[in-house]
Structure formats: structure tokens, C-alpha cells
Amino acid sequence: MRKGGNTPVPASAVRIELGWRAGPGAPDVDASALLLMSGKVRSDGDFVFYNQAAHSSGAVRHEGKRTMGDTVTDTLSVDLARVESAIDTVVLAASADGGTFGQVPGLHIRVLDAAGGAELARFDSEDATVETAFVLGELYRRQGAWKFRAVGQGYESGLAGLATDFGISVDEPPQTPAPPAAPVPAPAAPPNAGLNPYAAQTPHAAAPNPYAAPAPPSGPPAGAYPPPPPTAASTPLPPPPPTAPAPAPATAPVSLSKVTLTKEAPAVSLTKQGGTSGTMRVNLNWQVHKQFSGWASKLGKAMAMHNELDLDLGALFELSDGSKGVVQALGNSFGSLHQPPFIHLDADDRTGARAAGENLTINLDHLRSFRRILVFVTIYEGARSFANLHATVTLQPQFGAPIDFSLDECTVPSPVCALALITNTGNDLVVQREARYLVPQRGVSPQRTLDHAYGWGMNWTPGRK
């Protein structure tokens, strides 16, 4: 598709793939979505991205990244049938982490039919320079049906500037060197805004960053996507009773901070991130190359060799008093959050019906009780290995930035993967990316294989669920 073009979307649910080529000097890229009503979000909950992976309606989800060769994709799922009637547009955006889009080769967006994987639309961005955020496209309603428009509008103010422009309250100022008050007397919006709601938001204007002030020179045209009122001028919200602003956020602003672990930088200190109290949730999100019907529509035919695929998240633990054990669904060893081992598995998702999958929660208020924790995932039944699995691991401390990393493609017949090793060094809690696929010897269980690989020294007996 060409920039500005549109096409019908003849599907009730779609997958949005944001793709680019990885390489030296290329920044990481993140996909996000904003659900709009008359050009603005209703609340911060209408923003779906890496720190807020699912919309409350269940219509839009951030599925995570995968790598195939030198191509990386970050995926959003959009169930158009579940999008609330008040929402008329779903903006599909991208942000660059650690560089500009001029350094990102092969940037593109694809709209795929979630049922069969057929490509419904594709737009390649070829003119990026200094932008750090992009609206690549949008899904919008027209006469009761959904369409996709290729937008290709860049922002120099990053994800914070883009999100703020649509009405999101961000807890950090937009990335701009200009003083916040300087842009106020900036020139008026250009007269040639036209019908494209993004046409006036040029990032190449000579004026200071247009997203740092309430009346930027690049304000969108009337009737399209007006910029949100300035936060400082939002004082009318508390005094009157909440009527129209009722869905507006009453909680803390959205945090855009995150930590991504890689092979080159595989570890991070929770102590330095401020995440050593409260709880920490560990989640595994996965997908595969192809899409099919039923349970295989989530995990792919290559994974779903039987009727159901059962993946189990678990953790080996060693406490400061020397006690050791495992938290897993096998043997109903779900652990406990408020007594040893202070680790709890919320449920065993054996059907794929739970949208959030399985989650481990670690009680960081008992930090001194931990010596080390090894988070892992095993295949209980339904497939022989993790081949064709592309997964993202997210550790979300209650306080502090989320930590995420992607698993490499599995090229060995492995039914068990060590995900992350959390170690208490005495004055620090360190999260280490493992992403290590292990191949058990004949007759040896995946758990015993993990034990041997990491020197846990436990005795194992067969168990069932």
C-alpha cells in the first residue's frame, strides 16, 4: 500500500505485525495501539503497549516479539468484533528504543487475518529520518465495517510525545530539549491540514518540539485528532462531579520505562531499579509461525500435535535457610505467596482458555529469604519440543520498570527451557536472562535435567497433574 491508501478489512479478528530488520546500530522497536473515540482516548486504559499488554475489553492485546533470521516482529492482536461501539479508531504505532527510525531498516506493518494468517494489507515505511515514534496505520470504522489506512506519520518526541498527543497521561516529560513554555507562542497550525488527520503533525518543523506544549504548531486539523489539553490546565477535573471525564484515569500516569535483556546485556539489578519490595509477576507469552483453527490458532499446527498443548511455568527455589523445592502444576505444588517459599503459581492453564496464560508471583517483601530462583517452562503434553515457538518473558515488579526478553528460536528437540535465574548476592537481587533450551537424556525428566544443569541437588520422583 501507499501512504494514505486504505483497504477494507474482511475479518472479524486480525493480527498486526510490526516488522523490521535487526542489525548493528539498529534500535529496538516496540508496537503499541491506542483506542480512540472522536480522535482521543477515553482514559489511559485505552493505551495498549509493553507495560499495559491488554485492553480491559479484551479486544486488543500486545502479544510480544519474535525473531526469524534477521527479521524481528512485534505483534498486536485485535478482535474487531469485541471492540467497544464507542471506539471508532485503533491507532497502530511504533516507537524506537535507543535510536531513530532512520536507523531501522525494512520498517513495515502487516495486517493478517487471525483465522488463517492471510495478509490483508501491508505498508512499508521508506522515508523515516529523525523520528523516534511513528503512527504506521490505523483500523477505523466506516459505515459499519472496518478498514485499514496506511498513515506513516512520524514524531520526533518519542512514544511519550505520541501518547500525550492522543490524551495519555505520561509520568515522564516528553523527550524534548525545548523549555516547556517556549512553544506556547509558536506559529499557528498549517492551513493545509487536509483530510489526513496526521498531515499537520510534521516532525520536521523548525519550531521547537510540537508535543511539549498545549498548542503545538503542528496541531491536528479540526474534526480529526485534537491534541489533549495540557496537564497543568486540567484542574477543572477535580472540582466538578465526574461526568464525561469519568473514565479518565484516577490512578498514576502511564509509565513508559522498561528494561530489555539481550545476549549482550543479559542481567539487571532489581535493587538499582527500585524493585525489591511488593510482588513481581513472571509471565510467558508465546506464538508460532502459522495460524490454524481451534487451540492451534494460538499455538500453531507444528506445536499442537495433539488436541491440546499444555505448557507449564514453574520455578526451582533455594532459600537462605538451605531449603530447596519446586513450584509447578505437576504434583499440585503451587507454592505460597505469604509463607515459604514465598512464590505462587496462580493456576494451571491446560486448555489455552486463559488469555493471561500462567503467571508466577514472587513476594519480594521476603527478599532476604531467597538465595536463588530458576524460572522455567516445560511441555507437559501436546508436543515434543519448542520448535516454532517464539516467546517473550516479562518480569513485572510492583515497583520498578518491567523486565522483558525474547527467547531464541529452538533448534534442538527440547521440552524444557530455563527462562531466568534470579540471584540474591547479599546486597543485590539480580535477574539473569537464561533462555536456555535443554535436551533431557533418555528416561530423564525435564525437571531433573534442569536440576543437573544448575546444580540444585534435589531428589525427584514421578508426578502427575
Side-chain angles (χ1 to χ4, degrees):
M1 292 180 64
R2 293 186 177 181
K3 191 179 200 175
N6 64 77
T7 186
V9 178
S12 60
V14 294
R15 292 175 59 243
I16 308 298
E17 285 193 355
L18 171 68
W20 67 96
R21 291 196 307 275
D28 191 25
V29 178
D30 295 296
S32 57
L34 297 107
L35 289 74
L36 308 184
M37 181 178 69
S38 302
K40 294 191 340 186
V41 297
R42 299 165 300 175
S43 76
D44 288 349
D46 287 337
F47 186 25
V48 177
F49 69 118
Y50 49 80
N51 275 2
Q52 194 164 271
H55 190 261
S56 59
S57 67
V60 182
R61 292 184 58 86
H62 179 245
E63 300 291 352
K65 296 176 183 175
R66 63 184 176 92
T67 302
M68 294 178 57
D70 65 347
T71 300
V72 184
T73 59
D74 197 8
T75 304
L76 299 162
S77 65
V78 183
D79 188 341
L80 298 172
R82 297 178 65 180
V83 176
E84 297 157 295
S85 59
I87 299 298
D88 51 52
T89 305
V90 179
V91 170
L92 307 170
S95 55
D97 185 8
T100 67
F101 277 105
Q103 302 168 286
V104 179
L107 181 65
H108 65 273
I109 188 170
R110 300 170 68 211
V111 181
L112 307 174
D113 187 340
E119 183 176 284
L120 306 177
R122 175 177 175 135
F123 169 58
D124 291 83
S125 176
E126 301 174 344
D127 57 354
T129 55
V130 299
E131 301 87 353
T132 51
F134 251 98
V135 174
L136 288 172
E138 63 179 12
L139 297 165
Y140 64 100
R141 298 184 197 263
R142 186 66 78 239
Q143 296 179 346
W146 286 95
K147 303 184 76 174
F148 171 78
R149 176 183 291 122
V151 177
Q153 175 60 52
Y155 290 69
E156 288 184 34
S157 51
L159 183 59
L162 185 152
T164 301
D165 198 50
F166 287 104
I168 297 295
S169 300
V170 177
D171 72 347
E172 52 193 36
Q175 302 169 5
T176 169
V184 175
N192 58 342
L195 296 177
N196 185 345
Y198 305 94
Q201 297 175 357
T202 170
H204 305 293
N209 192 320
Y211 306 103
S218 55
Y225 296 122
T231 305
S234 300
T235 51
L237 286 179
T243 52
T251 56
V254 170
S255 172
L256 304 182
S257 300
K258 70 167 185 172
V259 177
T260 299
L261 302 182
T262 64
K263 288 182 179 179
E264 295 73 22
V268 64
S269 164
L270 278 181
T271 303
K272 293 180 181 179
Q273 295 293 326
T276 55
S277 63
T279 59
M280 180 167 68
R281 184 173 63 90
V282 183
N283 174 262
L284 176 69
N285 191 288
W286 64 86
Q287 59 180 318
V288 294
H289 295 293
K290 296 182 179 181
Q291 298 290 314
F292 298 88
S293 61
W295 170 243
S297 67
K298 287 188 176 181
L299 296 168
K301 192 174 182 180
M303 291 287 292
M305 297 178 181
H306 304 296
N307 291 333
E308 293 181 355
L309 176 66
D310 187 3
L311 296 184
D312 284 343
L313 192 63
L316 290 173
F317 63 83
E318 181 178 0
L319 302 184
S320 57
D321 62 4
S323 59
K324 302 175 182 179
V326 62
V327 173
Q328 60 177 2
L330 193 65
N332 294 321
S333 302
F334 288 94
S336 176
L337 196 60
H338 301 293
Q339 60 186 18
F342 307 110
I343 305 169
H344 183 252
L345 177 66
D346 61 356
D348 179 25
D349 181 15
R350 304 192 65 177
T351 65
R354 289 166 52 89
E358 296 183 13
N359 296 280
L360 272 171
T361 304
I362 301 171
N363 189 341
L364 297 179
D365 288 335
H366 293 272
L367 170 64
R368 294 183 180 180
S369 297
F370 300 124
R371 184 171 293 170
R372 58 177 179 158
I373 302 168
L374 179 66
V375 181
F376 65 87
V377 62
T378 63
I379 300 174
Y380 181 71
E381 62 183 4
R384 291 188 295 269
S385 79
F386 286 109
N388 294 318
L389 171 73
H390 299 282
T392 299
V393 180
T394 303
L395 296 89
Q396 176 66 71
Q398 185 175 348
F399 307 104
I403 302 163
D404 67 15
F405 60 89
S406 298
L407 298 182
D408 299 322
E409 186 170 356
C410 180
T411 58
V412 295
S414 170
V416 56
C417 180
L419 301 177
L421 182 64
I422 305 170
T423 306
N424 189 341
T425 64
N427 55 4
D428 200 357
L429 196 65
V430 176
V431 176
Q432 171 87 22
R433 174 189 187 270
E434 293 295 305
R436 181 181 176 187
Y437 296 105
L438 300 173
V439 181
Q441 295 181 0
R442 188 177 184 87
V444 178
S445 70
Q447 289 82 353
R448 188 185 295 271
T449 301
L450 279 168
D451 185 311
H452 289 173
Y454 287 88
W456 233 264
M458 293 170 55
N459 295 320
W460 295 89
T461 58
R464 296 187 62 84
K465 295 196 292 185

